[in-house]
Amino acid sequence: MTTISDGEEIVFEQPCPIRDVLDRIGNQWSLLILEALAPGTLRFNALMREIGDISKQMLSRTLKQLEQDGFITRTLYPEVPPRVEYALTDLGRSFLEPMQQLVAWAESHHRAIVEARTRYQANPEQR
Amino acid sequence: MTTISDGEEIVFEQPCPIRDVLDRIGNQWSLLILEALAPGTLRFNALMREIGDISKQMLSRTLKQLEQDGFITRTLYPEVPPRVEYALTDLGRSFLEPMQQLVAWAESHHRAIVEARTRYQANPEQR
DNA sequence: GCTTACGGTCTGTCTTTTAGACCATCTATT
DNA sequence: AATAGATGGTCTAAAAGACAGACCGTAAGC
């Protein structure tokens, strides 16, 4: 992400929206979190368990980003121990559709990719 | 990526294909490269110019991955100076469809995301 | 009084990304 | 004749990012 100093304030350049969106959702964790939230609201630790191998830090940070970008809401119930619920917004839900297409593609072409890798490793002569 | 030692050899776990596919195409550069190649074959330096702010190293590395995974082909013409052409395979082209959907979503919801960010920064009190 | 659970933050380490120099060969310019 | 630029990369050192794990305060359960 390029930043240019415009007088006193910092301006974030977003030449094409794709870059901008990719910066956020173009990482493993964001997509996995959105997928985990697709069926419904989840709490912090429930998300951790659902995803399995994400660290607290990355979950916390990614959730913050997703909230910031309007994909999810964060609701804190001031109980003890605290309860925090994360849920998709309309924007987040609208993103599910293209994402599901991607996931579907991944599932149906996974075998082809694995095969391509095997082929690649079997023919190192032409490199 | 989790690895478990299975007796003598190392086994790479790929519990869900989504993780596996995301590992490769779930990064900025891969998607941008595939998008750049969508209209047709391009040479190395042409790709650099097209994408603009990618380093040679990352371009080289990501192209290698994409080739490995069967998304693109690499054709070296042994001339001087050397000419290397990158083109989408059928697999790569088939990926364009879900990707275009994602790009379309990004374009049409970009404004909403930027607005969400602005709102977020305007209301720091509830955090 | 010790452990567990909650939702995180902080720290130090490890990995990835980046910018930029470098390589060999040829053509075009000065 | 010297030099600059283009080709498609690799290499290195520094910056940025991700990770695991310790830590926090409060309260309930044992």
Side-chain angles (χ1 to χ4, degrees):
Chain A
M1 186 63 59
T2 332
T3 67
I4 46 174
S5 186
D6 174 20
E8 287 305 319
E9 57 191 332
I10 302 294
V11 177
F12 287 86
E13 281 270 290
Q14 310 159 327
C16 59
I18 297 110
R19 300 283 193 117
D20 195 30
V21 173
L22 244 52
D23 268 3
R24 305 303 167 125
I25 56 86
N27 68 72
Q28 197 180 178
W29 300 132
S30 296
L31 289 188
L32 290 175
I33 290 173
L34 293 177
E35 219 199 346
L37 287 177
T41 300
L42 280 181
R43 300 174 61 173
F44 188 87
N45 281 343
L47 268 169
M48 283 215 62
R49 281 187 293 268
E50 191 70 23
I51 296 178
D53 56 348
I54 189 172
S55 69
K56 286 181 166 212
Q57 194 172 55
M58 281 312 292
L59 179 56
S60 170
R61 227 189 283 171
T62 311
L63 284 170
K64 218 171 276 179
Q65 278 190 356
L66 289 174
E67 186 198 357
Q68 193 173 159
D69 289 357
F71 285 82
I72 62 175
T73 57
R74 177 184 186 275
T75 315
L76 165 66
Y77 298 88
E79 309 167 354
V80 169
R83 183 159 58 101
V84 181
E85 289 188 345
Y86 293 94
L88 293 177
T89 60
D90 286 344
L91 183 65
R93 258 186 302 277
S94 85
F95 178 71
L96 285 183
E97 198 180 336
M99 196 181 82
Q100 304 287 18
Q101 303 242 1
L102 204 71
V103 170
W105 185 94
E107 275 167 352
S108 66
H109 293 77
H110 183 231
R111 179 180 299 276
I113 293 173
V114 172
E115 282 171 7
R117 267 180 220 163
T118 310
R119 256 196 314 281
Y120 188 88
Q121 295 194 340
N123 303 32
E125 65 275 7
Q126 48 221 3
R127 288 188 295 277
Chain B
M1 185 63 61
T2 330
T3 66
I4 46 173
S5 185
D6 175 20
E8 286 306 315
E9 56 191 335
I10 301 294
V11 177
F12 287 86
E13 279 272 289
Q14 308 160 328
C16 60
I18 298 110
R19 300 284 192 116
D20 195 33
V21 173
L22 244 53
D23 268 2
R24 305 302 167 124
I25 56 86
N27 70 73
Q28 195 179 179
W29 299 134
S30 295
L31 289 188
L32 289 174
I33 289 173
L34 292 177
E35 217 199 347
L37 287 177
T41 298
L42 280 180
R43 300 174 62 174
F44 188 88
N45 281 343
L47 268 169
M48 284 215 61
R49 282 187 293 268
E50 190 71 21
I51 296 179
D53 56 347
I54 189 172
S55 69
K56 286 181 166 214
Q57 196 172 51
M58 278 312 289
L59 180 55
S60 170
R61 229 189 282 173
T62 311
L63 284 171
K64 220 170 277 179
Q65 277 190 356
L66 289 174
E67 188 199 357
Q68 193 173 157
D69 289 356
F71 285 83
I72 62 174
T73 58
R74 177 183 185 276
T75 315
L76 164 67
Y77 298 89
E79 309 167 352
V80 168
R83 182 160 58 100
V84 180
E85 289 189 346
Y86 293 93
L88 293 177
T89 60
D90 286 344
L91 183 65
R93 257 186 302 278
S94 84
F95 178 71
L96 285 183
E97 198 180 336
M99 196 182 80
Q100 304 287 18
Q101 303 242 2
L102 203 72
V103 170
W105 185 93
E107 277 167 351
S108 66
H109 294 79
H110 183 231
R111 176 180 303 276
I113 293 172
V114 172
E115 282 172 7
R117 268 180 220 163
T118 310
R119 255 197 315 282
Y120 188 87
Q121 295 193 341
N123 303 31
E125 66 276 4
Q126 49 220 7
R127 288 188 296 277

